[in-house]
């Protein structure tokens, strides 16, 4: 039925071969002449006044080319909360706060220099509990603020108070969701170099190259137009690169002071100790339903621990609000949240961005409500599932929506009815199945003033097409998606396209890779640019073939007459015919796409995305009641992605996202004691290995979104969102205990079993 | 203080002078520009730095460069030396087993060592052989598929050539 020649094909990413052969250049691989190595001295204390910093001995160490402290930097603040300077001058607010930095001719000397810096601190009382941080007598972390409360917000639709009284059943729970980290395999990296005219080039692992220009400019006072950001190949990111963090302006300033390029790369320990984590949240929630199976009301109070500084990650509450307010049809809802400063590690963006937390609350309580009214949890979900082309009370305008199909497929393939009816138990091993759904922005997310992306498509005299896209590639496959879209539109092979996506001096603007937006937004921009190219080709082909553009098509490298395909001219010949003549023109198309979504109003309402992705995950687990160990046996993950431009990488997003979700559910946990991260290696952090990853069956449901490029919607975060809830529900099915705190470790399972008295 | 070191890597012999605490990983990357060997943790936790030492996969971050003298080191760069991809590389590319790619060289070398020993591994054997190689992107599904597919292809090519 499909008439596509390239869309829907399993084509490898253009950088797959260089990655398989070791030729690809990651940040860590880049060397430039005269390059120095930068290192940062960090605070060992969670909250302290800085009395004195003595850098004199470090400065005298041979091989040291620059030492900087806050005094050297312009007194400018940066970050989402405008609450920090790159180096801290007056006081430190978390373990790992940046106090001084050095650049030296090698790493050993840089490290030795750090040891020679003397810092005198006057320790201050610290606060690590977000609840305690809100008390009037709590130590104030930012003295220019009145309290440690960063933001309080309330969202309401319908009449939740009345609805809670009306509901036939109401469930109430407290959730405690711990810290996890994006933990990509490549650690954070920055290389900064000034040229002779004072212009700055930064090689970076950022996800936001164009906003990084702006952020660096704001933090350092360097004009944005003098900053060029080059993205090396990036060894994963998962949200880590969504903000600029202190190490980047520090690296730049070291380069300025030393007058030489400076490279700054985190060690793995540094990465765990100081890079931003997913917000830990405490959530108190109630939900109510009617006996006939109608979901009636939801209410959640959320306490979000920002840590010592606020990043874009604090906006996760908006996503959480959307999940609580709009996943399933819920006529009444209230979300109240406080986001709070503490002396804990800073938190930021991590894949899912508030959605895994929100989905955990919603989907655990969906199960509890179903049980309370005596309905099968799947049936209860289907009954209340969002439907296509309806607006939620929150103002979310759902277009395509395959939630029902996703739930049905995931349930069918896991063997829901049989397994659910008889959770098995053999010896100490109990088995159970659980399900959870997700809704995620799939058509951008307007949290910034522009949600756009630009694209330029040019064709050389030989028919080689170059695509310049603002879209950032972090491994997910935006490169191949953009290539496939352009190839499809121009009727050429993907191999004939070169993609350039790594240099702000060359590529058009994009807000960054986040919110599962790139396929949709960058894809639409590429489609628009390709359409211009196509129009130019057709205009010339009309003359050459003596047929009107409407009768022509681009296919297999030719322009041909649809009804008489033997009458055709090679693509590159048309290009030359247009170029080499009197008044000739070279072919260039450009596209800009900024979706018609809107920023949420102060009441939390609005249509934040141009379309929404839906999915459902069913998980079968095995629980050993003697050891408390939970083993996921199988996951079925069904997703409405609009259209899979490249099913192989759609599956890749789902599979990788699911294992990240399993880590969140069962093992990953940044252990923080009095503000200090204790587990600093992947082993201790318990990052999932190949032994922890169960078979995952991905089901792709195509709903052909009217606004998406060839019908596609975003998918990047959807695999991670529902997993923890599906696992928790499966555990309940297996052993009859609810664990509302993540990760669900063996200790917690055993404790819960003991409390229940089994 | 630097010490002389004769290192055999991918069939070539290098004469170097290195500090005694330098790991094999650092010397491969910094001295020999073999940047296909990636640096992910330097604590033996992630496998991104895997190389073959006399055919056995080891984390090069845990081996002192000076201890590598007298051994044959193989890095990812050797696998496609003739300009043609090794079947494992081809399978990883074609089956979507590569996303960010940071784990890929280590994964492929661990898998290569496995297939040398055990040309027709089961899925469980593939998992056991790759347990020291973390991947944060793929969820491992396509990596397992790729290794099994490459094994199949190599085994049937072997049969064919006999
Ligand atoms: S860098 Fe050697 S195991 Fe991670
Ligand atoms: S592909 Fe990114 S770590 Fe494996």
């Amino acid at each position: 039925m499909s008439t596509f020649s390239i869309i829907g094909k399993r084509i490898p990413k253009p950088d797959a071969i260089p990655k398989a052969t070791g030729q690809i250049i990651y940040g860590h691989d880049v060397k430039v002449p005269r390059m120095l190595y930068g290192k940062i001295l960090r605070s060992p204390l969670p909250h302290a006044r800085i009395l004195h910093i003595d850098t004199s001995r470090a400065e005298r160490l041979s091989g040291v080319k620059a030492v900087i402290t806050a005094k050297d930097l312009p007194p400018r603040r940066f970050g989402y909360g405008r609450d920090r300077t790159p180096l801290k001058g007056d006081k430190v607010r978390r373990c790992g706060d940046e106090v001084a930095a050095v650049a030296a001719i090698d790493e050993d000397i840089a490290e030795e220099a750090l040891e020679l810096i003397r810092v005198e601190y006057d320790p201050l009382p610290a606060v690590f509990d977000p609840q305690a941080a809100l008390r009037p007598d709590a130590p104030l972390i930012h003295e220019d603020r009145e309290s440690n409360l960063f933001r309080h917000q309330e969202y309401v639709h319908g009449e939740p108070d009345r609805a809670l009284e009306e509901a036939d059943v109401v469930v109430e729970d407290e959730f405690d969701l711990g810290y996890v980290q994006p933990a990509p395999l490549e650690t954070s990296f920055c290389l900064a170099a000034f040229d002779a005219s004072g212009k700055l080039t930064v090689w970076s692992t950022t996800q936001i190259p164009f906003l990084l220009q702006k952020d660096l400019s704001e933090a350092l006072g360097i004009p944005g137009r003098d900053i060029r950001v080059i993205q090396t190949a990036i060894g994963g990111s998962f949200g880590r690169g969504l903000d600029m963090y202190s190490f980047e302006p520090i690296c730049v300033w070291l380069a300025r002071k030393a007058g030489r390029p400076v490279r700054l790369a985190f060690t793995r320990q540094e990465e765990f100790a100081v890079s931003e984590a997913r917000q830990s949240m405490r959530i108190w929630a109630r939900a109510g339903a009617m006996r006939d199976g109608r979901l009636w009301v939801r209410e959640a109070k959320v306490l979000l621990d920002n840590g010592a500084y606020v990043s874009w990650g604090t906006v996760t509450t908006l996503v959480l609000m959307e999940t609580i307010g709009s996943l399933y049809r819920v006529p009444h809802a209230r979300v109240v949240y406080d986001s709070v400063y503490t002396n804990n590690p800073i938190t930021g963006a991590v894949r899912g961005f508030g959605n895994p937390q929100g989905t955990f609350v919603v989907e655990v309580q969906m199960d509890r409500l179903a049980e309370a009214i005596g309905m099968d949890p799947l049936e209860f979900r289907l009954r209340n599932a969002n439907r296509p082309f309806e607006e939620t009370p929150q103002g979310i305008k759902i277009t395509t929506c395959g939630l029902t199909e996703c739930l049905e497929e995931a349930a069918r393939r896991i063997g829901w009815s049989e397994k659910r009816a008889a959770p098995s138990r053999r010896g100490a091993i109990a088995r159970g199945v659980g399900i959870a759904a997700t809704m995620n922005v799939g058509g951008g997310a307007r949290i910034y003033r522009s949600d756009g992306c630009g694209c330029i498509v040019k064709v050389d005299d030989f028919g080689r097409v170059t695509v310049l896209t603002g879209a950032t590639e972090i491994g997910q496959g935006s490169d191949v998606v953009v290539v496939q879209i352009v190839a499809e539109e121009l009727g050429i092979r993907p191999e004939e396209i070169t993609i350039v996506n790594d240099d702000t001096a060359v590529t058009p603007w994009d807000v960054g890779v986040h919110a599962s937006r790139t396929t949709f937004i960058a894809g639409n921009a590429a489609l628009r640019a390709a359409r211009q190219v196509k129009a130019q080709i057709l205009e010339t082909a009309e003359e050459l073939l003596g047929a009107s553009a409407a009768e022509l098509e681009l296919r297999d490298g030719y322009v041909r007459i649809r009804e008489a395909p033997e009458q055709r001219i090679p693509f590159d010949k048309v290009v030359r015919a247009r170029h080499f003549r009197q008044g000739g023109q070279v072919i260039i198309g450009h596209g800009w796409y900024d979706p018609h979504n809107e920023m949420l109003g102060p009441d939390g309402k609005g249509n934040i995305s141009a379309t929404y992705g839906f999915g459902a995950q069913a998980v079968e687990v095995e629980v050993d009641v003697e050891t408390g160990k939970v083993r996921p046996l199988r996951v079925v993950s069904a997703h409405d992605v609009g259209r899979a431009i490249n099913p192989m990488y759609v599956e890749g997003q789902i599979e990788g996202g699911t294992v990240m979700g399993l880590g969140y559910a069962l093992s990953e946990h940044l252990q923080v004691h009095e503000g200090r991260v204790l587990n600093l290696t992947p082993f201790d952090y318990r990052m999932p290995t190949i032994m922890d990853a169960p078979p995952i069956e991905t089901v792709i449901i195509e709903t052909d979104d009217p606004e998406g490029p060839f019908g596609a919607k975003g998918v990047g975060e959807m695999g991670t969102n529902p997993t923890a809830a599906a696992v928790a529900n499966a555990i309940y099915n297996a052993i009859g205990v609810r664990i509302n705190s993540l990760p669900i470790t063996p200790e917690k399972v055993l404790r819960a079993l003991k409390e229940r008295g089994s | 203080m630097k010490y002389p070191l004769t290192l055999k890597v991918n069939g070539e012999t290098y004469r170097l002078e290195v500090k005694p605490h330098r790991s094999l990983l650092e010397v491969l990357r910094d001295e020999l520009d073999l940047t296909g060997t990636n640096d992910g943790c330097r604590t033996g936790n992630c496998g991104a730095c895997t190389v073959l030492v006399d055919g056995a996969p080891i984390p090069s971050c845990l081996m002192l460069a000076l201890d590598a003298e007298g051994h044959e080191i193989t890095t990812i760069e050797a696998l496609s030396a003739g300009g043609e991809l090794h079947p494992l590389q081809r399978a990883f590319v074609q089956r979507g087993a590569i996303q960010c790619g940071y784990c890929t060289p280590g994964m492929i070398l661990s898998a290569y060592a496995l297939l040398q020993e055990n040309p027709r591994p089961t899925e469980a054997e593939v998992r056991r052989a790759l347990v020291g190689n973390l991947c944060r992107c793929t969820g491992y599904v396509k990596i397992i598929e790729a290794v099994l597919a490459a094994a199949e292809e190599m085994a049937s090519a072997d049969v064919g050539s006999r």
Side-chain angles (χ1 to χ4, degrees):
Chain A
M1 162 209 114
S2 155
T3 53
F4 298 127
S5 54
I6 309 291
I7 299 296
K9 295 257 151 57
R10 297 173 166 264
I11 295 168
K13 284 160 61 57
D15 62 7
I17 290 178
K19 283 174 172 172
T21 54
Q23 286 162 324
I24 195 89
I25 308 290
Y26 295 101
H28 286 243
D29 301 336
V30 179
K31 278 186 195 166
V32 296
R34 304 182 69 237
M35 183 176 88
L36 302 172
Y37 294 79
K39 288 266 170 207
I40 295 172
L41 184 70
R42 300 176 175 283
S43 164
L45 301 172
H47 200 192
R49 213 157 282 295
I50 300 173
L51 299 178
H52 183 66
I53 308 178
D54 177 4
T55 58
S56 56
R57 288 174 66 210
E59 278 158 41
R60 286 198 301 271
L61 184 69
S62 155
V64 171
K65 300 296 173 188
V67 181
I68 58 172
T69 63
K71 287 200 311 295
D72 296 284
L73 285 153
R76 287 165 164 267
R77 295 187 181 195
F78 74 96
Y80 183 82
R82 288 275 178 283
D83 51 12
R84 64 194 115 166
T85 53
L87 288 162
K88 315 302 180 278
D90 50 351
K91 71 172 195 171
V92 292
R93 296 175 180 86
R94 60 156 181 160
C95 293
D97 243 357
E98 301 80 1
V99 176
V102 302
I105 55 171
D106 68 32
E107 263 183 316
D108 292 349
I109 296 175
E111 256 158 37
E112 200 183 330
L114 291 188
E115 281 165 28
L116 296 175
I117 299 174
R118 289 283 159 266
V119 186
E120 255 180 78
Y121 295 102
D122 180 17
L124 295 168
V127 58
F128 307 112
D129 180 309
Q131 195 76 58
L134 288 176
R135 291 198 199 114
D137 59 342
L140 191 59
I141 295 165
H142 294 276
E143 276 125 358
D144 53 350
R145 302 184 72 94
E146 271 161 27
S147 76
N148 293 322
L149 179 68
F150 175 70
R151 189 179 277 164
H152 172 88
Q153 192 167 352
E154 296 200 23
Y155 166 81
V156 182
H157 74 241
E159 292 176 63
D161 290 325
R162 185 174 58 89
L164 280 160
E165 307 226 316
E166 282 167 3
D168 291 331
V169 297
V170 172
V171 297
E172 178 177 339
D173 295 283
E174 270 182 63
F175 298 91
D176 178 9
L177 310 177
Y179 290 111
V180 290
Q181 275 215 344
L185 218 51
E186 183 189 28
T187 58
S188 300
F189 176 86
C190 183
L191 166 59
F194 286 90
D195 71 11
S197 63
K199 293 199 169 47
L200 169 66
T201 301
V202 173
W203 289 260
S204 167
T205 46
T206 185
Q207 291 177 227
I208 46 155
F210 297 92
L211 297 191
L212 183 60
Q213 282 179 292
K214 172 174 166 289
D215 290 349
L216 280 171
S217 170
E218 277 172 7
L220 296 172
I222 300 170
R225 61 176 176 273
D226 290 346
I227 301 173
R228 173 181 183 185
V229 177
I230 295 177
Q231 287 165 300
T232 55
I234 297 171
S237 203
F238 314 110
R240 176 190 64 190
L242 196 57
D243 288 75
M244 181 184 78
Y245 288 101
S246 295
F247 75 97
E248 290 154 307
I250 289 173
C251 181
V252 169
W253 215 254
L254 283 170
R256 164 165 281 196
K257 181 139 189 221
R260 287 170 65 167
V262 173
R263 162 201 208 270
L264 208 157
F266 279 13
T267 64
R268 178 56 62 186
Q269 287 82 348
E270 220 172 359
E271 187 86 19
F272 277 118
V274 304
S275 62
E276 83 296 358
R278 192 190 293 291
Q279 295 69 26
S280 85
M281 288 186 190
R282 272 181 224 159
I283 303 171
W284 171 89
R286 289 197 286 182
M290 295 304 194
R291 290 225 173 270
D292 61 8
R294 274 174 300 157
L295 172 63
W296 198 242
V297 57
R298 260 188 218 134
E299 179 180 36
K301 292 199 175 121
V302 182
L303 186 60
L304 178 149
D305 184 350
N306 285 309
Y309 305 101
V310 163
S311 72
W312 274 100
T314 201
V315 180
T316 51
T317 43
L318 299 182
V319 177
L320 183 135
M321 224 157 69
E322 176 195 298
T323 305
I324 291 177
S326 292
L327 172 56
Y328 300 107
R329 293 163 142 182
V330 56
H332 308 277
R334 173 186 293 126
V335 183
V336 180
Y337 74 79
D338 287 322
S339 91
V340 178
Y341 283 114
T342 63
N343 296 109
N344 281 324
I346 52 171
T347 57
V350 186
R351 190 184 216 168
F353 204 74
N355 209 338
Q357 295 103 313
T359 304
F360 192 72
V361 171
V362 166
E363 284 294 28
V364 164
Q365 293 200 325
M366 286 300 279
D367 255 35
R368 302 241 296 127
L369 287 173
E371 188 178 22
I373 59 169
M375 192 180 257
D376 176 81
L378 173 65
E379 196 190 323
F380 181 57
R381 286 180 169 85
L382 287 169
R383 168 99 219 242
N384 293 290
N386 304 96
R387 308 276 197 273
F389 297 95
E390 69 180 13
E391 185 171 338
T392 76
Q394 199 167 9
I396 282 175
K397 296 186 179 117
I398 294 171
T399 57
T400 50
C401 172
L403 180 54
T404 298
E405 296 89 319
C406 290
L407 282 163
E408 284 170 345
E409 268 310 287
R412 187 174 69 75
R413 292 183 193 229
I414 204 84
W416 180 264
S417 344
E418 316 84 77
K419 288 182 176 150
R420 192 77 196 179
S424 82
R425 173 82 181 255
R426 234 184 304 140
I429 305 293
R431 283 190 176 192
V433 290
I435 198 165
T438 174
M439 174 178 104
N440 203 83
V441 291
R446 190 169 293 272
I447 57 170
Y448 194 70
R449 286 165 294 164
S450 171
D451 195 8
C453 176
C455 185
I456 295 168
V457 177
K458 73 180 193 87
V459 190
D460 74 10
D461 298 338
F462 314 100
R464 171 149 289 274
V465 173
T466 302
V467 180
L468 312 177
T469 174
T472 286
E473 175 56 26
I474 48 178
Q476 81 278 38
S478 64
D479 49 0
V480 73
V481 162
V482 164
V483 164
Q484 282 180 263
I485 286 170
V486 173
E488 180 70 44
E489 194 61 17
L490 299 183
I492 56 174
R493 291 178 303 135
E495 302 86 88
E496 283 163 285
I497 299 178
T498 302
I499 184 160
V500 178
N501 56 359
D502 56 3
D503 187 343
T504 57
V506 177
T507 59
W509 196 88
D510 175 66
V511 73
V513 54
H514 70 97
S516 306
R517 68 186 280 283
T518 303
T519 292
F520 185 90
I521 308 270
N524 267 323
L527 186 56
R528 289 179 176 195
R531 281 190 182 141
Q532 286 192 0
V533 167
K534 184 174 177 177
Q536 293 165 31
I537 297 269
L538 287 176
E539 191 181 71
T540 301
E542 277 185 326
E543 296 167 25
L544 301 175
L545 285 167
S548 75
E551 298 167 280
L552 299 176
E553 64 176 7
L554 276 68
R555 193 99 188 186
D556 305 330
Y558 291 90
V559 186
R560 64 188 193 190
I561 298 175
R562 197 174 291 108
E563 301 302 330
E566 68 292 345
Q567 291 190 49
R568 59 182 203 178
I569 329 173
F571 180 83
D572 57 324
K573 207 163 169 186
V574 183
V575 175
R576 286 192 296 272
R578 188 175 174 84
H579 184 184
F580 299 113
R581 59 156 106 173
Q582 198 65 43
Q585 276 179 16
V586 76
I587 290 182
I588 305 174
H590 62 88
W592 168 255
Y593 180 77
D594 193 8
H596 52 73
N597 52 2
E598 49 197 35
M599 277 187 155
L600 298 185
D603 58 355
K605 292 184 181 164
N607 189 36
I608 193 166
S609 185
T611 184
Y612 298 83
F614 292 87
Q617 251 174 21
V619 180
E620 182 173 14
V621 301
E622 206 170 75
V623 186
D624 183 329
V625 296
E626 271 163 20
T627 62
K629 182 141 176 55
V630 177
R631 196 158 73 90
L633 297 176
R634 204 158 74 84
V635 180
V636 181
S637 206
H639 295 269
D640 162 19
V641 301
R643 174 167 330 274
I645 305 279
N646 187 323
M648 187 160 81
Y649 293 108
V650 169
E651 291 162 7
Q653 285 303 295
I654 303 296
E655 291 159 1
T658 300
V659 171
M660 204 173 253
L662 287 171
Y664 189 46
L666 293 172
S667 68
E668 290 180 40
H669 188 209
L670 203 63
Q671 299 189 16
V672 180
H673 177 68
E674 302 202 329
R676 189 170 293 117
V677 178
L678 303 178
N679 45 348
L680 299 177
T681 66
F683 281 167
D684 295 331
Y685 172 74
R686 304 222 39 226
M687 188 133 116
T689 71
I690 200 166
M691 288 297 190
D692 304 312
I696 299 165
E697 185 185 346
T698 300
V699 186
I700 294 175
I701 299 204
E702 297 194 316
T703 49
D704 194 7
D705 194 79
E707 181 72 13
F710 294 104
K713 309 194 271 192
V715 67
E717 293 160 292
M718 276 210 290
T720 305
N721 296 335
T723 319
V727 168
N729 290 341
I731 293 172
Y732 181 73
N733 182 232
I735 56 170
V737 297
R738 285 259 162 224
I739 296 158
N740 289 344
S741 138
L742 294 179
I744 303 174
T745 56
E747 298 89 294
K748 289 181 192 169
V749 171
L750 290 180
R751 203 182 314 131
L753 281 169
K754 201 164 153 204
E755 272 163 22
R756 195 198 51 182
S758 84
Chain B
M1 176 72 186
K2 288 188 173 180
Y3 292 82
L5 165 68
T6 306
L7 207 57
K8 271 191 90 172
V9 183
N10 302 337
E12 286 189 49
T13 304
Y14 299 88
R15 281 176 225 295
L16 307 164
E17 298 237 305
V18 303
K19 290 189 192 163
H21 63 280
R22 284 274 162 261
S23 66
L24 178 59
L25 170 67
E26 290 168 289
V27 169
L28 290 172
R29 289 178 54 80
D30 298 342
E31 309 286 329
L32 306 185
D33 283 338
L34 292 169
T35 52
T37 308
N38 289 327
D39 176 355
C41 70
R42 298 196 192 180
T43 52
N45 271 217
C46 75
C49 66
T50 303
V51 300
L52 303 181
V53 177
D54 301 328
I58 64 126
S60 61
C61 67
L62 291 189
M63 185 176 212
L64 290 176
L66 292 176
D67 286 344
E69 180 148 343
H71 299 283
E72 298 270 352
I73 314 296
T74 308
T75 70
I76 189 68
E77 285 85 356
L79 251 63
S80 51
E84 214 180 295
L85 296 184
H86 184 274
L88 271 166
Q89 292 173 311
R90 210 161 42 236
F92 269 64
V93 168
Q94 281 168 358
R95 291 174 179 267
I98 302 174
Q99 289 185 30
C100 84
Y102 211 71
C103 68
T104 307
M107 284 283 181
I108 289 180
L109 287 172
S110 291
Y112 179 91
L114 168 71
L115 298 189
Q116 293 291 310
E117 292 256 301
N118 176 0
R120 297 303 290 263
T122 62
E123 182 187 322
E125 288 166 334
V126 172
R127 285 177 184 267
R128 267 203 294 285
L130 298 183
V131 72
N133 293 83
L134 294 177
C135 174
R136 190 59 158 168
C137 300
T138 64
Y140 303 101
V141 177
K142 295 198 174 349
I143 290 175
I144 296 169
E145 280 171 19
V147 175
L148 291 172
E152 180 107 0
E153 187 197 324
M154 287 162 70
S156 52
D158 240 24
V159 172
S161 69
R162 249 176 244 151

